[in-house]
Amino acid sequence: MARVLLFGALADAAGWRDRDIEGDTIEALRLSLSGDERLAERLARPGLMTVLNQVVVRGDHPVGKDDEVAFAPPVSGG
C-alpha cells in the first residue's frame, strides 16, 4: 500500500490527512479515493498538484508499496 497524503480542502473533504491506500498507479489511487463524492469533485478540479515521493508529477505513474503520494489544491503566490 502507498502512503497517501491530502492537503488543504482535499483533507477537509475527506476528514483525514494521511492514510495507506491500495493502488499500483496514481490513477488507481485517485479512483479509489473517488468513492467519496466530495473528495472526487475536488480531485477532478484543474490545477490539482500530485506529488510522488516529494517530486511534482503530471499524468499517471506506477506506485510501489513504499511510495508516498500527495494530492494538494493549486497554490498561488504573490
Side-chain angles (χ1 to χ4, degrees):
M1 284 197 241
R3 169 71 52 167
V4 174
L5 307 173
L6 301 177
F7 293 95
L10 297 167
D12 293 341
W16 53 269
R17 297 210 182 274
D18 75 77
R19 185 172 281 175
D20 291 333
I21 306 252
E22 194 70 43
D24 58 358
T25 67
I26 288 175
E27 288 306 315
L29 292 173
R30 190 185 310 247
L31 182 61
S32 178
L33 294 171
S34 293
D36 178 326
E37 192 174 306
R38 291 185 323 155
L39 185 54
E41 186 270 326
R42 284 172 173 79
L43 287 169
R45 289 183 181 172
L48 177 76
M49 289 180 39
T50 304
V51 182
L52 175 61
N53 297 323
Q54 300 182 1
V55 176
V56 176
V57 296
R58 296 196 185 277
D60 200 12
H61 290 271
V63 175
K65 64 179 179 121
D66 295 322
D67 287 338
E68 178 182 87
V69 178
F71 296 102
V75 179
S76 65

